[in-house]
Amino acid sequence: MTSEWWRTAAIYQIYPRSFADANGDGMGDLAGITSRLVALQELGINAIWLSPFYTSPQRDAGYDVADYCDVDPLFGTLDDFDAMIAEAHARGIRVIVDLVPNHSSDAHEWFQAALAAAPGSPERARYLFRDGRGPDGAEAPNNWESVFGGPAWTRVLESDGTPGQWYLHLFDSSQPDFDWTNDEVREEFRDILRFWLDRGVDGFRVDVAHGMIKAEGLPDYTPPAEGGSMGGAAGVTAAASGVPLEPEISAEPGDSAPYWGQEGVHDIYRDWRALLDEYPGERILAAEAWVDPLPRVAKWVRPDEMHQAFNFAYLETPWNAEALRHVIDASLDAFGSVGAPSTWVLSNHDVVRHATRLSVTEANPQGHGLGPRSKGLPEYAPGLRRARAATALMLALPGSAYLYQGEELGLPEVIHLPDDARQDPTWFRTGGERYGRDGCRVPLPWEGSAPSYGFGPADASWLPQPEQWASLARDRQRDDPTSTLSLYRGALALRRSRDLGAGALEWLPGFAESIVAFRNGDVVVVANTGDAAVELPAGEVLLSSEPLEGGMLPADTTAWLAA
Ligand code: GLC
């Protein structure tokens, strides 16, 4: 692969619980991934990113890590990991693993030691323990709320059995936040990075990379109301669609939450970058940083920090031409201003799948998920049509693109999961008010006629699969030139052969407001977000997300033409 591979890479996210199950326990595993890598090589991606497979009680699907340097028996062993990475590398696929540094599991030995130790001890100093407020310390140290709902603090019982200090958890109570001002924590994570780099990983996706440092004194903070000011790159999109965006993060740096995007996080990444640079082979860091506006996200990818940051402003942009032009410009400007590639993403394991999301007509805040009580749900076919057009647009953009497992099959969000099957802590912490993220995590269909649609040898899977999975299975799509899988394969192949990832975007004038039209190298891309078919410029059609109608580009369709 060329040097600086990450600037143009198509990176495929594997959610190990739901990708492929080799041992038949209904839960995906590393051996399952190894056995299915050939399908990803055929798809034409450059790298995979694996969500956590580390030792964990699985209270937040593995984002609650009890041992950062081992594989949970649910997923296999370190030997299985070595076999998986060897197979991926042999197929020309790089491997990025997830790193969860903001918090550990409460089952981590450090947290267990902290619980057993006294207030003020070095064991407690690795986490954020504080005395409560009020006469008996019975009130939480501040008013912060967990991202998953409910308070961000939990009180512990001291060793004499009396209610004692509180610890901070920005997520579930089983996910205590580390204190990143403590050098012991920093040293530990350097060792963890080295452990996986020595095993050959090509990089890390850094979880909650905006959250590790909290403002001095942990001041009270009330986030803006949901759907409130988002400003920046995404502001126009929120206004245009009425769809509220990530509510936690405000537009102005000075007005941000005391737990997101504090300046101190950047020192940590400079330190990690220097460590990665000691290794051969261009190992990378990719930030999950939910901050806005885009120029602020760009701070994570300054030349001495990370290589990439996820472009959530793009993910949150509705299917609206004006909003898309705006966010594409803002992305190329912001990332370009620090010499970083832009990234693009439409789906991941935390958001409603874009085959559904882009067509939902009622407000649905990020993280709330969809279920039977949700309003404004689209029909499958029109939702998929729009998603295919959106993907064809995204894969023509210069930079690096992230794909989430199953989107290449056109999988929709699974709405009708039984309540008793749901597992996301969001669902439990809000008493079922928010459905959470299970609907995008349902195990993949590989063969339409096999048990669990080929996910594994057993009939059952950890989340039940809908009957629709039979017709969407990979084997049913592989040889159908009109399938979503064929569209992805075709777009990825053209993207590679025309080097679109390394290209430059030039807007094309003269199109209606509802059209996104640009040139990237020798490819012209036209996306129709409006209701009526439009004329296409002259040129050989290289790819079209739906058949053209009498040479015209229909609604919710994207075409690529030879310039
Ligand atoms: C990130 C992960 C999400 C997880 C959370 C807490 O946002 O993507 O799945 O629940 O961090 O670790």
Side-chain angles (χ1 to χ4, degrees):
M1 232 181 276
T2 58
S3 110
E4 303 211 309
W5 62 276
W6 43 275
R7 288 187 175 274
T8 60
I11 303 178
Y12 181 98
Q13 180 188 356
I14 290 184
Y15 195 65
R17 302 169 70 91
S18 303
F19 187 71
D21 169 22
N23 68 2
D25 64 356
M27 176 68 68
D29 45 42
L30 294 174
I33 296 172
T34 309
S35 72
R36 295 289 192 180
L37 284 171
V38 61
L40 300 186
Q41 186 181 13
E42 275 171 28
L43 180 61
I45 47 90
N46 306 109
I48 51 178
W49 145 38
L50 273 69
S51 282
F53 48 79
Y54 314 110
T55 313
S56 161
Q58 303 290 322
R59 293 280 298 276
D60 182 23
Y63 282 93
D64 48 325
V65 181
D67 182 344
Y68 287 85
C69 297
D70 207 350
V71 173
D72 195 286
L74 266 183
F75 301 117
T77 61
L78 280 170
D79 286 345
D80 292 332
F81 178 82
D82 292 342
M84 188 274 302
I85 197 169
E87 179 75 13
H89 285 164
R91 295 186 181 280
I93 297 173
R94 299 194 189 238
V95 178
I96 296 169
V97 296
D98 220 307
L99 185 73
V100 189
N102 179 68
H103 46 265
S104 70
S105 160
D106 59 359
H108 192 286
E109 62 172 9
W110 275 11
F111 192 73
Q112 289 302 312
L115 289 180
S121 60
E123 287 83 358
R124 290 222 169 158
R126 295 160 174 160
Y127 293 91
L128 289 159
F129 279 85
R130 293 290 182 274
D131 294 332
R133 294 201 277 206
D136 310 319
E139 288 165 34
N142 70 23
N143 72 346
W144 296 359
E145 286 186 11
S146 153
V147 173
F148 293 157
W153 294 92
T154 292
R155 195 171 194 188
V156 301
L157 289 181
E158 301 298 355
S159 46
D160 63 2
T162 57
Q165 286 195 302
W166 299 70
Y167 66 91
L168 178 71
H169 51 88
L170 290 182
F171 295 88
D172 189 56
S173 56
S174 63
Q175 294 167 296
D177 283 46
F178 285 116
D179 184 347
W180 272 90
T181 64
N182 184 331
D183 280 341
E184 215 187 334
V185 173
R186 294 188 186 226
E187 199 43 55
E188 180 71 7
F189 271 85
R190 286 185 200 110
D191 289 347
I192 294 165
L193 289 171
R194 288 197 190 95
F195 178 87
W196 292 105
L197 290 166
D198 290 340
R199 285 202 113 83
V201 304
D202 298 286
F204 301 90
R205 173 270 189 188
V206 181
D207 191 63
V208 196
H210 55 315
M212 288 141 75
I213 297 286
K214 281 78 182 174
E216 197 65 51
L218 312 182
D220 278 346
Y221 175 73
T222 305
E226 271 169 12
S229 149
M230 289 301 295
V236 62
T237 66
S241 69
V243 177
L245 307 181
E246 167 67 22
E248 301 260 359
I249 310 209
S250 59
E252 299 303 322
D255 181 32
S256 66
Y259 37 85
W260 298 143
Q262 299 296 305
E263 279 303 309
V265 297
H266 299 289
D267 292 338
I268 301 170
Y269 306 132
R270 287 192 192 100
D271 182 46
W272 290 5
R273 176 62 179 262
L275 190 156
L276 258 71
D277 285 349
E278 290 168 15
Y279 282 79
E282 293 189 77
R283 321 290 178 101
I284 72 160
L285 294 166
E288 187 216 24
W290 286 93
V291 295
D292 70 3
L294 276 159
R296 196 168 167 219
V297 185
K299 292 170 99 176
W300 271 253
V301 288
R302 288 175 289 193
D304 58 348
E305 296 194 37
M306 301 209 186
H307 299 74
Q308 296 185 335
F310 292 153
N311 188 343
F312 292 123
Y314 187 74
L315 182 148
E316 292 183 315
T317 303
W319 182 240
N320 169 292
E322 186 195 352
L324 286 163
R325 283 191 296 269
H326 185 88
V327 74
I328 292 168
D329 267 340
S331 305
L332 295 171
D333 279 0
F335 291 117
S337 71
V338 291
S342 186
T343 62
W344 313 101
V345 60
L346 288 167
S347 281
N348 66 33
H349 67 294
D350 290 328
V351 303
V352 172
R353 282 186 177 276
H354 72 280
T356 304
R357 189 187 70 244
L358 291 173
S359 302
V360 169
T361 55
E362 299 275 327
N364 180 244
Q366 207 289 105
H368 286 212
L370 295 172
R373 284 179 281 114
S374 304
K375 300 206 169 64
L377 298 173
E379 296 293 319
Y380 175 62
L384 175 64
R385 178 186 180 98
R386 185 169 284 184
R388 287 167 56 118
T391 299
L393 170 57
M394 176 179 87
L395 289 178
L397 294 169
S400 173
Y402 275 83
L403 304 172
Y404 174 52
Q405 67 176 39
E407 66 170 88
E408 77 279 22
L409 303 175
L411 300 189
E413 184 80 359
V414 178
I415 308 292
H416 293 284
L417 281 174
D419 286 357
D420 60 6
R422 293 192 184 272
Q423 304 205 9
D424 187 344
T426 310
W427 167 258
F428 299 105
R429 291 182 64 85
T430 62
E433 189 195 315
R434 299 185 200 167
Y435 287 106
R437 302 160 294 174
D438 292 313
C440 66
R441 299 175 173 181
V442 175
L444 294 190
W446 293 86
E447 283 99 29
S449 311
S452 64
Y453 307 111
F455 169 62
D459 278 322
S461 57
W462 71 280
L463 285 173
Q465 300 162 297
E467 281 174 20
Q468 188 190 13
W469 264 209
S471 62
L472 295 176
R474 195 169 300 255
D475 69 333
R476 303 275 170 95
Q477 299 200 36
R478 187 173 293 124
D479 301 322
D480 172 359
T482 68
S483 71
T484 302
L485 181 59
S486 296
L487 175 69
Y488 271 73
R489 234 177 10 218
L492 286 163
L494 276 169
R495 188 176 186 279
R496 203 169 44 248
S497 64
R498 308 245 167 185
D499 214 7
L500 298 181
L505 179 141
E506 179 196 334
W507 294 114
L508 295 178
F511 287 87
E513 262 305 286
S514 57
I515 305 297
V516 180
F518 59 87
R519 177 199 301 272
N520 179 358
D522 58 6
V523 176
V524 163
V525 178
V526 186
N528 183 357
T529 72
D531 298 332
V534 296
E535 297 278 358
L536 277 173
E540 180 203 349
V541 177
L542 302 171
L543 171 140
S544 180
S545 65
E546 303 295 331
L548 301 184
E549 288 170 4
M552 309 263 286
L553 183 71
D556 288 346
T557 305
T558 298
W560 298 8
L561 296 96

